[in-house]
Amino acid sequence: MSGYFAADSMVVRAMRQRVVGLSWGQRALVIGGLHPRLFVGTAQHTVHRATPYTRLALTARLMETVFLGTKEEADRALAFTAKRHVPVEGTMEVPGGPAHPVGSPYSAADPGLMWWTAAFALDSVEFMYDALVRPLRPDEREELFDDFVTWAGLFGMPASAAPASYPDFRRRFDAWLTSDEPYLVDEARLVGRHIAGTAGYHLPGGPPTSETLRTVVQGSLPALVREHYGIPWSAAAERRWRAVRTASRLAHGRLSLLGPTPLLRGRSEHFYKIVQQGEQALVRRGGVSIPGVSDVSALRRA
């Protein structure tokens, strides 16, 4: 049974690359944390507020299912998401900068916020493919953009909420990033810094530390985003990032000549589940995934 996206569509080809599937979510979450209404609306209505890796893994699994699964699998994921989104409506309870003051409304049904959700994912999937697999051609970027518009439409977003084309998306996204709109509430800063590996990567269920993963996530972030979060970045770190990027591209180029390689391509849901189960086990033992989240999750007014 086929899915909503053809096997040769750009988004399927991108999402089936494991280096993309295992890295785009962290980057998207960190950059998306700069959108106060999107972050606060999600944080105030999730049952996984104190377990952000579970939330990230669940989101990644749902996205992967819609993109790579059969229509039956995708429809179940879409129905699950729609049910979760019903109660997501409210107002900002903390100041989110000039563009998102206290009292600003948010809703999962807001077409503009629906597009921003897709935009952060699109930007990160595109970037990780460019950096770790190979640079996309202009026509492939347009196709990837069209696939994400289709994907957002499956969740109920009207097509009119999306930019008219890939170049329009890129102009608008980059302009937003350099404007005075991006703003971090305290909880977003805390969660984003940990997801970016500022305290070392202690992924639940994963290896104790992973300097390579930290290098990939932090190196992929625009310098302006690292500045917002206060993430230090040195010349040595930049050299490590360039080395990882070069090695990944070379590996994909060489191994692609051998045909399908399960090591590099395939669905990543198994890895998402490992992290999710590890975090849940940690909580059952009385541990905490990200120290300090409970201290700021009330989102009190400043």
Side-chain angles (χ1 to χ4, degrees):
M1 183 177 180
S2 61
Y4 282 102
F5 298 90
D8 61 350
S9 64
M10 190 62 238
V11 74
V12 170
R13 285 182 282 155
M15 293 292 285
R16 286 186 66 83
Q17 298 289 343
R18 291 203 193 280
V19 290
V20 176
L22 297 175
S23 62
W24 74 265
Q26 292 98 310
R27 183 180 186 274
L29 186 151
V30 175
I31 299 179
L34 287 163
H35 194 297
R37 282 195 297 147
L38 199 59
F39 180 88
V40 171
T42 300
Q44 291 185 169
H45 295 273
T46 180
V47 297
H48 301 298
R49 192 162 190 172
T51 49
Y53 290 108
T54 295
R55 189 197 333 166
L56 181 60
L58 178 61
T59 299
R61 285 171 59 193
L62 289 170
M63 278 191 62
E64 185 177 79
T65 298
V66 175
F67 280 127
L68 305 183
T70 65
K71 285 187 178 180
E72 183 180 5
E73 291 172 332
D75 285 341
R76 286 198 298 267
L78 291 166
F80 174 85
T81 304
K83 184 177 180 180
R84 288 292 186 91
H85 281 177
V86 169
V88 181
E89 186 172 2
T91 58
M92 289 283 292
E93 296 182 2
V94 292
H100 308 276
V102 171
S104 297
Y106 62 78
S107 169
D110 182 323
L113 293 181
M114 294 176 78
W115 171 248
W116 274 112
T117 299
F120 290 123
L122 164 59
D123 175 66
S124 287
V125 169
E126 176 192 21
F127 184 92
M128 289 306 192
Y129 193 95
D130 271 342
L132 301 175
V133 182
R134 65 167 175 80
L136 289 162
R137 301 188 306 270
D139 63 302
E140 291 176 325
R141 296 186 197 282
E142 193 71 51
E143 183 180 349
L144 187 65
F145 165 79
D146 290 340
D147 287 339
F148 267 91
V149 174
T150 298
W151 172 81
L154 292 173
F155 287 92
M157 186 199 78
S160 58
S165 64
Y166 171 79
D168 188 25
F169 153 71
R170 182 47 58 196
R171 284 191 298 270
R172 289 165 60 174
F173 189 92
D174 293 346
W176 171 83
L177 193 59
T178 57
S179 72
D180 62 354
E181 285 195 37
Y183 185 91
L184 285 173
V185 301
D186 290 343
E187 187 173 357
R189 178 179 286 104
L190 179 62
V191 172
R193 281 176 56 82
H194 275 270
I195 294 295
T198 56
Y201 262 112
H202 300 273
L203 289 179
T209 60
S210 174
E211 287 301 320
T212 299
L213 182 57
R214 172 159 48 181
T215 295
V216 167
V217 176
Q218 294 186 8
S220 71
L221 298 173
L224 188 60
V225 173
R226 290 196 295 264
E227 291 174 13
H228 275 288
Y229 280 94
I231 297 173
W233 192 249
S234 64
E238 180 66 24
R239 287 194 295 272
R240 288 195 297 271
W241 162 235
R242 290 177 181 270
V244 169
R245 188 174 61 191
T246 298
S248 181
R249 282 183 175 180
L250 286 173
H252 282 81
R254 290 171 179 171
L255 291 179
S256 66
L257 300 176
L258 303 178
T261 52
L263 179 65
L264 297 182
R265 298 187 183 91
R267 294 177 68 162
S268 300
E269 60 181 350
H270 175 69
F271 299 97
Y272 304 149
K273 288 181 180 179
I274 289 175
V275 172
Q276 181 176 345
Q277 291 167 356
E279 184 173 55
Q280 296 300 318
L282 176 67
V283 172
R284 286 195 297 272
R285 295 195 302 269
V288 293
S289 181
I290 296 183
V293 167
S294 60
D295 297 329
V296 300
S297 61
L299 288 172
R300 299 183 181 90
R301 289 182 175 87

